[in-house]
Amino acid sequence: MVKSIIFALNIITLIMKLIGELEKIISQYFKDNLIEGSPAELYNPINYILALGGKRARPLMVLMSYNLYSDSVNDVLSLAKAIEVFHNFTLIHDDIMDKAPLRRGSDTVHIKWNENIGILSGDAMLIKAYSLLEDLSPEILKNVFLAFNKTAIEVCEGQQLDMNFETRNDVTIDEYINMITLKTSVLLGASMKVGAIAGGAEQIDSNKLYDFGKYLGLAFQLQDDYLDLYGDTEKFGKRIGGDIVANKKTFLTLKAFQKADNNELVELNNLFASSNLSIFEEENKIEKARTIFNKLGVVDCMKKEIEKYYELSLQSLASVNVAEGKKAEIRKFAESIISREV
Amino acid sequence: MVKSIIFALNIITLIMKLIGELEKIISQYFKDNLIEGSPAELYNPINYILALGGKRARPLMVLMSYNLYSDSVNDVLSLAKAIEVFHNFTLIHDDIMDKAPLRRGSDTVHIKWNENIGILSGDAMLIKAYSLLEDLSPEILKNVFLAFNKTAIEVCEGQQLDMNFETRNDVTIDEYINMITLKTSVLLGASMKVGAIAGGAEQIDSNKLYDFGKYLGLAFQLQDDYLDLYGDTEKFGKRIGGDIVANKKTFLTLKAFQKADNNELVELNNLFASSNLSIFEEENKIEKARTIFNKLGVVDCMKKEIEKYYELSLQSLASVNVAEGKKAEIRKFAESIISREV
């Protein structure tokens, strides 16, 4: 009796915050809470990369997922930040490994400082991500910790697979999907999951929210691959065709190889064997790739694949045992991910 | 009444294991429990560096500390391994930063594979160190987690200070002691502390055991600095005078600069400005350093400093509220650290 009254009160009083509100809360929290410590050489790079911004999609997912169960979202800002700090640790180290000069239009950490600082401040960030979990109660900490560890090691495995694929010519589409699942999607899954755990969700539901995030993450990464070749230069904010120039094996390329007949295979092999080209030759290469991709209909295949994972994510969300009305913002978020042009 | 009987039984039945026994248990556990996973490129380097061995002093400290409170030492092997895995993560990344070709007489990870593999497998090791805490009960996990996070970030801070000192000529002895405290000693302190926490020690005692480990760690590191210049080449297993050749500012050098008169300062400055020497010149430099150090009596100062920290460690141990008889092996361990010649 008492329990059902409390339950009813919960339904009435739980206020679902809008995406825009949550984004403002997150942004303010990040501005007000730097990662402080000494020596400065260790901590400045950490706050530098965090200040470069980004969409803060992962903290938003933590808060939205938690908000399904509780409206005191301020209580999980530290948890949300842990996920973002972890994500940015991977960016610092990945940028060293990829020898990337730019991140979000600014110098990468190892360029602005040096590689040693990049390695060490990345390490410190990974530790600080764990430290941000310290305020959780022992029982919630344990479950969040398990999810966090599992995901963190998977992200490393995904990055290693990505590096392995650079020197392999026999990567299958299944292997590619597995790689991007590990490298990108599981962290979006974990963002939803830890938010749900902190909110007190049943395990079955926190797992469904994990699946929602994971599938949405796959749709997101495939959309990213698509935009790399078919995006609008101005809107996308970076050069179109970068993956093609770098001979990166994304879904588009792998699908093209799969659908090509013998003549087209020769053409594709020649195209993806070329490197160190002039800008003019690079533009030519990108155009040729687009032509053969269009001919083979790989964009349609990709759109179907994106649609497939988007549908799977929505199905997972629909099966979560929470009133449908509460899921509106999460559905809106998923839609924005899928329909984005940048 | 019941409580005091249980207490009496505990005193009677608690078996203090000998260092040799504990070392065997640790060695077997490490052999039987590799860090497994896929892809191999990520996990092989992890098991490679762990198999290079080392004294396993940190896991031994975890077990000895736990053994003050419980004799089921098998229950904390995973915790002991977490500390050793963390320590080896720092070795992989430090070796990249120091451009070190050899570790325990074998190729370092970044030489055997490459730097990217070194960075990423180090990251994976740090995460796996955390994963090894997963079996702890929620309450113990929380306290171990707090100690682990604090220590881990301090080790990073120590490494950053060490790098900063390379380009500074005004490092004080206090700053040097602070740096080696962070880089080396706090992890020995934490090894004792987490063992005590897992054993159910009162907080005041786990902190005293932390202090024991920290002070012993300082004595250990200073002994290391001493052996680098005054050790027996054959026993020490590496070249004597490496720190002098590399112009590293250890306690000996800093003390010499502190005690030198104007003429000796000129001599020291000239000595420590030289680099890229021939082997013959290097031997000459080492001999000159030894001569001036002997003249200035810095070895005596160092021995006093080592003795000071050793005494502080024994005092901390003595103040732990556990029957003195149980501490015999820990005292023996401390003695072996301080009297070692390798």
Side-chain angles (χ1 to χ4, degrees):
Chain A
M1 173 63 176
V2 174
K3 211 172 166 184
S4 63
I5 290 174
I6 292 173
F7 185 67
L9 278 172
N10 183 37
I11 287 184
I12 295 163
T13 58
L14 189 64
I15 300 158
M16 303 312 293
K17 292 204 167 51
L18 302 175
I19 290 174
E21 289 178 79
L22 293 172
E23 283 175 337
K24 265 187 205 162
I25 292 170
I26 291 165
S27 169
Q28 194 60 46
Y29 184 77
F30 273 73
K31 269 185 206 139
D32 293 345
N33 295 276
L34 298 182
I35 307 249
E36 283 171 356
S38 156
E41 291 81 358
L42 186 63
Y43 288 91
N44 287 348
I46 296 176
N47 291 307
Y48 168 78
I49 190 163
L50 285 173
L52 292 182
K55 288 185 280 291
R56 310 283 194 220
R58 293 159 193 82
L60 180 62
M61 291 169 89
V62 174
L63 263 57
M64 288 194 302
S65 187
Y66 178 80
N67 199 198
L68 291 174
Y69 303 95
S70 166
D71 55 9
S72 56
V73 293
N74 288 339
D75 293 351
V76 286
L77 280 167
S78 182
L79 173 59
K81 190 172 176 186
I83 299 280
E84 187 72 4
V85 169
F86 174 82
H87 173 57
N88 279 269
F89 136 71
T90 68
L91 298 182
I92 293 183
H93 280 193
D94 284 6
D95 284 342
I96 299 175
M97 295 183 234
D98 297 345
K99 304 197 185 307
L102 292 175
R103 166 67 58 187
R104 292 174 187 137
S106 297
D107 286 345
T108 46
V109 165
H110 67 278
I111 292 291
K112 190 170 169 70
W113 286 275
N114 58 54
E115 284 202 10
N116 283 358
I117 295 244
I119 293 171
L120 197 61
S121 61
D123 293 344
M125 264 186 123
L126 173 51
I127 294 160
K128 282 290 176 186
Y130 277 104
S131 301
L132 284 162
L133 308 178
E134 287 177 357
D135 289 338
L136 298 170
S137 69
E139 279 300 338
I140 286 180
L141 171 62
K142 175 104 192 197
N143 287 325
V144 166
F145 187 62
L146 294 175
F148 198 95
N149 289 337
K150 181 173 181 293
T151 299
I153 197 71
E154 285 175 348
V155 172
C156 290
E157 290 169 359
Q159 169 68 5
Q160 183 63 53
L161 287 175
D162 197 11
M163 294 200 295
N164 289 355
F165 288 1
E166 281 173 24
T167 53
R168 275 183 53 192
N169 283 316
D170 57 350
V171 177
T172 66
I173 288 181
D174 281 352
E175 285 180 310
Y176 178 72
I177 295 291
N178 178 50
M179 183 276 282
I180 61 172
T181 300
L182 294 170
K183 186 169 169 168
T184 303
S185 311
V186 295
L187 188 58
L188 301 187
S191 301
M192 297 300 291
K193 182 165 180 161
V194 297
I197 291 171
E202 298 284 336
Q203 201 186 339
I204 187 169
D205 284 334
S206 67
N207 286 338
K208 283 172 179 171
L209 286 162
Y210 174 88
D211 286 343
F212 162 78
K214 188 185 75 174
Y215 289 130
L216 188 65
L218 278 168
F220 171 85
Q221 184 57 52
L222 291 170
Q223 178 81 353
D224 222 49
D225 292 351
Y226 168 77
L227 289 173
D228 187 85
L229 188 58
Y230 293 96
D232 183 311
T233 315
E234 276 182 38
K235 282 185 191 163
F236 199 44
K238 59 180 180 183
R239 186 183 175 193
I240 296 300
D243 287 347
I244 300 293
V245 171
N247 295 326
K248 249 188 124 175
K249 291 146 200 130
T250 70
F251 183 89
L252 285 170
T253 314
L254 295 171
K255 198 75 193 173
F257 272 95
Q258 199 186 55
K259 297 189 81 168
D261 64 22
N262 283 345
N263 289 336
E264 290 154 348
L265 264 183
V266 172
E267 213 177 326
L268 280 170
N269 276 322
N270 286 336
L271 205 60
F272 285 95
S274 64
S275 56
N276 296 319
L277 305 176
S278 68
I279 292 281
F280 177 77
E281 290 167 328
E282 282 181 358
E283 289 305 322
N284 200 263
K285 178 179 178 179
I286 294 166
E287 201 41 53
K288 270 189 185 163
R290 234 188 244 121
T291 306
I292 191 166
F293 285 4
N294 291 344
K295 189 171 144 203
L296 292 168
V298 297
V299 170
D300 276 350
C301 293
M302 182 145 209
K303 285 190 172 163
K304 270 182 202 147
E305 194 79 358
I306 293 173
E307 191 64 28
K308 180 179 95 181
Y309 290 116
Y310 180 56
E311 283 304 321
L312 282 169
S313 77
L314 292 185
Q315 280 169 27
S316 299
L317 181 64
S319 69
V320 175
N321 190 21
V322 160
E324 275 311 295
K326 293 187 185 173
K327 301 174 187 168
E329 289 301 300
I330 298 181
R331 272 196 304 267
K332 236 186 267 175
F333 171 75
E335 212 187 303
S336 73
I337 288 282
I338 218 66
S339 60
R340 78 200 160 94
E341 292 177 11
V342 290
Chain B
M1 171 65 176
V2 173
K3 214 174 166 184
S4 64
I5 291 175
I6 292 173
F7 185 66
L9 277 171
N10 182 37
I11 286 184
I12 297 163
T13 58
L14 189 62
I15 300 158
M16 303 313 293
K17 292 204 166 53
L18 302 176
I19 290 175
E21 289 178 78
L22 293 173
E23 283 176 338
K24 264 189 204 159
I25 291 170
I26 291 165
S27 169
Q28 194 60 44
Y29 184 78
F30 273 73
K31 268 185 206 137
D32 293 346
N33 294 277
L34 298 183
I35 307 251
E36 283 171 357
S38 155
E41 291 82 358
L42 187 63
Y43 288 91
N44 287 350
I46 296 176
N47 290 308
Y48 167 79
I49 189 162
L50 285 173
L52 292 183
K55 287 184 280 291
R56 310 284 194 220
R58 292 159 194 81
L60 179 62
M61 291 170 90
V62 175
L63 264 57
M64 287 193 304
S65 187
Y66 178 80
N67 198 197
L68 291 174
Y69 303 94
S70 165
D71 56 8
S72 57
V73 293
N74 288 339
D75 293 352
V76 287
L77 280 166
S78 181
L79 174 58
K81 190 171 177 188
I83 300 280
E84 186 72 3
V85 169
F86 173 82
H87 173 56
N88 279 269
F89 137 71
T90 67
L91 298 183
I92 293 183
H93 280 194
D94 285 5
D95 284 343
I96 298 174
M97 294 183 235
D98 297 344
K99 306 201 183 306
L102 292 175
R103 167 66 60 188
R104 293 174 185 137
S106 297
D107 286 344
T108 45
V109 165
H110 67 277
I111 292 292
K112 189 169 168 73
W113 285 275
N114 58 53
E115 285 203 9
N116 284 358
I117 296 243
I119 293 171
L120 197 61
S121 61
D123 293 343
M125 265 187 121
L126 173 51
I127 295 161
K128 282 291 177 187
Y130 277 104
S131 302
L132 284 162
L133 309 178
E134 286 177 357
D135 289 338
L136 298 169
S137 69
E139 280 299 337
I140 286 180
L141 170 63
K142 175 104 190 198
N143 287 324
V144 166
F145 187 61
L146 294 175
F148 198 95
N149 289 338
K150 181 173 179 293
T151 298
I153 197 72
E154 285 176 347
V155 172
C156 291
E157 290 168 358
Q159 168 68 6
Q160 183 64 53
L161 287 176
D162 197 12
M163 295 199 294
N164 290 355
F165 288 1
E166 282 173 24
T167 53
R168 274 183 53 191
N169 283 318
D170 58 349
V171 178
T172 66
I173 289 183
D174 281 352
E175 285 180 310
Y176 178 72
I177 295 291
N178 178 50
M179 184 275 283
I180 61 172
T181 300
L182 293 170
K183 187 169 170 169
T184 304
S185 310
V186 294
L187 189 58
L188 301 187
S191 301
M192 296 300 291
K193 181 165 181 161
V194 298
I197 292 171
E202 297 286 336
Q203 201 186 338
I204 188 168
D205 284 334
S206 67
N207 285 339
K208 284 172 179 172
L209 286 162
Y210 174 88
D211 286 343
F212 161 78
K214 188 185 74 173
Y215 289 130
L216 188 65
L218 278 169
F220 170 86
Q221 184 58 51
L222 291 170
Q223 178 80 353
D224 222 49
D225 293 351
Y226 167 76
L227 289 173
D228 188 84
L229 188 57
Y230 293 96
D232 183 313
T233 316
E234 274 182 37
K235 283 184 189 161
F236 199 45
K238 60 180 178 183
R239 186 185 177 192
I240 296 299
D243 287 347
I244 301 292
V245 170
N247 296 326
K248 249 187 125 175
K249 292 146 201 130
T250 70
F251 183 89
L252 286 172
T253 314
L254 295 172
K255 198 74 193 173
F257 271 94
Q258 201 186 56
K259 298 190 80 168
D261 64 20
N262 283 344
N263 288 336
E264 289 154 349
L265 264 182
V266 172
E267 213 178 325
L268 280 169
N269 276 322
N270 284 337
L271 205 61
F272 285 96
S274 64
S275 57
N276 296 318
L277 305 175
S278 69
I279 292 282
F280 177 76
E281 290 167 326
E282 282 180 357
E283 290 304 323
N284 202 263
K285 177 179 180 179
I286 294 166
E287 201 41 52
K288 271 191 186 162
R290 235 188 244 120
T291 306
I292 191 165
F293 286 4
N294 290 346
K295 188 170 143 205
L296 292 168
V298 297
V299 171
D300 276 349
C301 293
M302 182 145 209
K303 284 191 172 162
K304 271 183 202 148
E305 194 79 358
I306 293 173
E307 191 64 27
K308 179 179 96 181
Y309 290 116
Y310 180 56
E311 282 304 322
L312 282 170
S313 77
L314 292 185
Q315 280 169 28
S316 300
L317 182 63
S319 70
V320 175
N321 190 20
V322 161
E324 276 309 296
K326 293 187 184 173
K327 301 173 188 170
E329 289 302 299
I330 298 181
R331 272 196 304 267
K332 235 186 268 175
F333 172 75
E335 212 187 303
S336 74
I337 288 283
I338 218 67
S339 60
R340 77 201 162 93
E341 292 177 10
V342 290

